[in-house]
């Protein structure tokens, strides 16, 4: 993949270079064609050479001697030029504005040399003749230079074609080298990005260093996606483990009552009396109710866990609510001999709650304290405020819970070492915790062996 990207980049660069070369050639040809059609006659009349060539009209020959006209004098003045007139022997017979260092006699070779090369800096000379008078016109012009060269068109074309070929080869080589190193800097991050996407596809949620450059934001986004997917994967695995645990535990718990129901149903078929049948029927009914409670608790905890349980919220005075709950509990025959106490520091603590579910949560904690301890246990339900929240504690002086078991108390189906002979679905504490959290509250336990356990509950208090 890496070399494929680099190769495609190199190919695209080479193609671009060829296109640029072709466009340049086309522009060059078009420019040459347009130039060949352009009329330069107007601009040629304003050149020093045109001035010198037409200077013969600026003087006349009278009795074999040159006579400069007023127009010629003005033209020399305006052009910053000078003129020397020579006879047939090369002697200077007259001059106007000529520098004093110029010779007074010119041999033919001197005239040729003067025409070919500059005799005075920044002055270009032109040699012409009118009748038997030769004249030298020198014009001071910084922009005009004369170069004498001998050209061979065939050699020039061959040299240009060879040079163009070498230049093309050199350009292509340079382009490939530059494109290779530049392409690596572009394709290397792309390769890393593609590899990271492949890892995400294969559920490998690792992060890569986000290097500074063109792709910095892409790397950061990929790392964010990777971290988010990793978190979702961990949550999925956790839920999968929980689901498997639920299925395993519920299957295990359902087998016992189902086996009991089936066994007693078979025994009923061979019962000798109606009383015996009624006894077996009562056992079947009890096991059926236990199965129903187990299914109801499982459904409730799943709905609470997934925030799918609609709460019937209403402002409630928790002090009055908790006192009445404890009184109703003491009025039940099986709990009338227990030491249940109530302690309230204030008369009114109002919270918005679902009365049914909060009652179930508090009763679950009270029932746990009763069922897991001796009948001589003392339980105190206290309510006050703490950090602008309602603060409820359910404290007992029972057996207590070992420190290594405290972290597992709210796990579903967890039973401590002192619960071997208790009944229930194993979901009560987890359900109570989920109910409190669904109300925006929190719950935790503190315990000391042989001294007792305290359940701490906080709920948001109304303003």
């Amino acid at each position: 993949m890496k070399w494929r990207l680099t190769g495609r980049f190199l190919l695209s660069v080479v193609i671009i270079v060829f296109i640029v070369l072709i466009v340049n050639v086309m522009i060059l040809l078009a420019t040459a064609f347009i130039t060949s059609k352009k009329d330069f006659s107007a601009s040629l009349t304003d050149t020093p050479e045109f001035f010198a060539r037409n200077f013969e009209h600026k003087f006349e020959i009278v009795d074999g001697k040159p006579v400069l006209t007023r127009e010629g004098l003005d033209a020399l003045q305006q052009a910053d030029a000078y003129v020397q007139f020579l006879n047939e022997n090369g002697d200077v017979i007259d001059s106007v504005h000529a520098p004093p260092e110029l010779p007074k006699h010119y041999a033919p070779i001197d005239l040729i040399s003067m025409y070919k090369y500059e005799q005075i800096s920044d002055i270009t000379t032109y040699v012409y003749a009118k009748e038997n008078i030769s004249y030298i016109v020198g014009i001071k012009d910084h922009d005009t230079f004369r170069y004498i060269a001998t050209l061979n068109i065939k050699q020039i074309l061959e040299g240009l074609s060879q040079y163009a070929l070498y230049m093309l080869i050199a350009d292509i080589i340079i382009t490939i080298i530059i494109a290779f190193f530049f392409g690596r800097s572009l394709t290397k991050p792309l390769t890393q990005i593609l590899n990271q996407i492949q890892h995400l596809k294969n559920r490998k949620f690792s992060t890569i260093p986000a290097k500074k450059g063109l792709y910095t934001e892409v790397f950061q986004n990929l790392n964010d996606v990777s971290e988010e997917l990793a978190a979702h994967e961990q949550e999925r695995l956790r839920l999968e483990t929980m689901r498997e645990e639920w299925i395993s535990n519920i299957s295990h718990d359902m087998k016992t009552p189902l086996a009991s129901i089936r066994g007693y149903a078979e025994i009923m078929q061979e019962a000798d009396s109606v009383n015996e049948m009624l006894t077996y029927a009562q056992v079947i009914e009890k096991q059926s109710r236990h199965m129903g409670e187990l299914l109801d608790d499982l459904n409730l905890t799943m709905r609470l866990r997934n925030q799918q349980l609609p709460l019937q919220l209403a402002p409630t005075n928790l002090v009055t609510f908790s006192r009445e709950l404890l009184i109703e509990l003491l009025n039940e025959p099986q709990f009338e001999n227990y030491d249940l106490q109530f302690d309230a520091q204030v008369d009114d603590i109002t919270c918005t709650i679902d009365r049914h579910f909060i009652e179930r949560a508090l009763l679950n904690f009270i029932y746990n304290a009763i069922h897991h301890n001796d009948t001589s246990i003392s339980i105190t339900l206290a309510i006050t405020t703490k950090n602008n929240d309602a603060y409820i504690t359910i404290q007992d002086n029972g057996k207590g819970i070992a420190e290594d078991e405290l972290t597992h108390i709210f796990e579903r189906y967890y039973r401590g070492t002192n619960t071997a002979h208790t009944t229930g679905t194993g979901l009560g504490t987890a359900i109570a915790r989920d109910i409190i959290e669904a109300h925006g509250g929190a719950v935790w336990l503190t315990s000391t062996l042989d001294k007792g356990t305290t359940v701490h509950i906080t709920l948001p208090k109304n303003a």
Side-chain angles (χ1 to χ4, degrees):
M1 178 64 71
K2 175 181 177 181
W3 291 110
R4 189 189 308 169
L5 286 173
T6 304
R8 289 182 179 177
F9 180 79
L10 288 174
L11 180 61
S12 63
V13 171
V14 172
I15 291 173
I16 291 172
V17 170
F18 272 112
I19 292 173
V20 170
L21 288 175
I22 292 172
V23 171
N24 287 338
V25 171
M26 293 177 64
I27 292 174
L28 181 62
L29 294 175
T31 303
F33 177 77
I34 295 172
T35 303
S36 65
K37 298 295 184 180
K38 189 174 181 180
D39 183 12
F40 291 97
S41 58
S43 60
L44 288 176
T45 59
D46 195 26
T47 63
E49 186 173 357
F50 181 81
F51 174 84
R53 184 180 296 115
N54 288 274
F55 192 75
E56 62 178 347
H57 303 296
K58 302 296 189 295
F59 68 92
E60 299 176 355
I61 299 176
V62 180
D63 297 331
K65 294 182 179 181
V67 178
L68 198 61
T69 63
R70 173 54 61 183
E71 182 183 358
L73 288 171
D74 294 339
L76 288 174
Q77 186 71 27
Q78 292 176 3
D80 195 12
Y82 71 88
V83 63
Q84 285 182 308
F85 297 101
L86 286 66
N87 59 19
E88 294 178 348
N89 297 323
D91 298 324
V92 177
I93 58 176
D94 196 7
S95 64
V96 179
H97 304 315
E101 64 266 24
L102 292 177
K104 303 301 181 181
H105 175 79
Y106 292 91
I109 190 65
D110 294 332
L111 294 177
I112 294 172
S113 178
M114 177 172 283
Y115 184 82
K116 291 176 62 176
Y117 310 108
E118 286 186 355
Q119 299 297 315
I120 301 176
S121 178
D122 294 335
I123 293 179
T124 305
T125 57
Y126 302 89
V127 180
Y128 295 98
K130 182 177 180 181
E131 298 181 9
N132 59 344
I133 299 297
S134 299
Y135 63 94
I136 301 172
V137 178
I139 301 176
K140 190 172 183 180
D141 188 353
H142 299 286
D143 300 327
T144 302
F145 303 91
R146 178 185 289 127
Y147 297 96
I148 305 299
T150 301
L151 303 178
N152 187 315
I153 299 301
K154 184 177 180 181
Q155 290 180 348
I156 292 174
L157 292 177
E158 289 178 355
L160 288 176
S161 62
Q162 190 174 18
Y163 172 77
L165 178 61
Y166 291 154
M167 184 178 66
L168 178 61
I169 294 173
D171 287 345
I172 293 175
I173 293 174
I174 294 171
T175 300
I176 292 174
I177 293 173
I178 294 175
F180 176 77
F181 288 104
F182 185 66
R184 285 189 63 187
S185 65
L186 290 177
T187 56
K188 186 177 180 180
L190 284 177
T191 304
Q192 292 178 319
I193 291 171
L194 292 176
N195 290 337
Q196 180 67 1
I197 293 174
Q198 186 66 32
H199 288 161
L200 294 178
K201 179 182 177 181
N202 296 331
R203 309 185 77 82
K204 296 178 181 178
F205 308 115
S206 59
T207 58
I208 53 180
K211 299 179 180 179
K212 293 183 179 180
L214 181 63
Y215 303 102
T216 301
E217 189 174 350
V218 178
F219 281 114
Q220 291 175 348
N221 289 334
L222 276 177
N223 287 337
D224 292 342
V225 170
S226 181
E227 292 174 358
E228 188 172 349
L229 289 176
H232 286 313
E233 180 68 10
Q234 290 180 356
E235 180 67 12
R236 187 191 68 81
L237 292 175
R238 188 184 68 81
L239 293 176
E240 183 70 17
T241 302
M242 183 186 300
R243 185 183 67 84
E244 292 177 356
E245 183 181 353
W246 286 356
I247 294 173
S248 175
N249 286 318
I250 198 68
S251 299
H252 176 270
D253 284 3
M254 293 286 275
K255 285 180 181 179
T256 301
L258 280 174
S260 180
I261 290 172
R262 181 177 180 181
Y264 281 101
E266 291 176 351
I267 295 175
M268 284 181 65
Q269 297 177 5
E270 301 177 358
D272 297 330
S273 65
V274 174
N275 291 333
E276 189 177 359
M277 292 180 64
L278 289 175
T279 301
Y280 297 152
Q282 290 174 356
V283 174
I284 292 174
E285 181 186 8
K286 179 181 177 181
Q287 295 298 334
S288 299
R289 284 199 305 269
H290 177 68
M291 289 178 62
E293 292 172 358
L294 189 62
L295 291 173
D296 289 342
D297 284 354
L298 178 62
N299 179 57
L300 177 59
T301 189
M302 289 181 67
R303 294 178 68 186
L304 285 169
R305 188 67 175 174
N306 294 300
Q307 299 179 350
Q308 295 179 346
L309 187 68
L311 299 176
Q312 305 297 322
L313 300 175
T316 302
N317 183 352
L318 281 184
V319 177
T320 304
F321 174 79
S322 302
R323 183 187 294 110
E324 292 175 354
L325 181 148
L326 209 58
I327 292 172
E328 291 178 4
L329 191 63
L330 286 170
N331 288 332
E332 296 183 16
Q334 66 267 37
F335 300 120
E336 60 183 0
N337 294 324
Y338 280 91
D339 183 10
L340 301 178
Q341 301 180 17
F342 180 75
D343 181 19
Q345 301 294 325
V346 292
D347 295 330
D348 186 1
I349 301 176
T350 303
C351 298
T352 301
I353 62 172
D354 185 307
R355 296 173 61 90
H356 169 73
F357 283 113
I358 291 296
E359 179 180 348
R360 177 165 183 173
L362 296 178
L363 287 177
N364 273 340
F365 291 124
I366 295 174
Y367 288 155
N368 281 338
I370 292 174
H371 293 155
H372 298 160
N373 294 287
D374 299 331
T375 55
S376 60
I377 188 177
S378 175
I379 301 174
T380 301
L381 191 157
I383 181 168
T384 184
T385 58
K386 182 179 181 181
N387 297 330
N388 204 34
D389 288 333
Y391 179 53
I392 303 172
T393 58
I394 301 173
Q395 184 176 12
D396 66 65
N397 60 353
K399 300 175 183 178
I401 303 172
E403 185 177 354
D404 59 341
E405 293 182 0
L406 277 176
T407 56
H408 302 288
I409 290 298
F410 293 108
E411 292 181 4
R412 292 162 175 79
Y413 302 112
Y414 179 79
R415 297 180 186 274
T417 54
N418 61 347
T419 61
H421 301 289
T422 59
T423 60
T425 63
L427 296 170
T429 308
I431 290 174
R433 186 270 314 274
D434 291 342
I435 289 173
I436 298 299
E437 291 183 351
H439 284 77
V443 58
W444 67 96
L445 268 68
T446 57
S447 183
T448 304
L449 286 175
D450 299 324
K451 290 187 178 181
T453 301
T454 302
V455 180
H456 307 265
I457 300 171
T458 61
L459 288 171
K461 189 177 69 170
N462 290 3

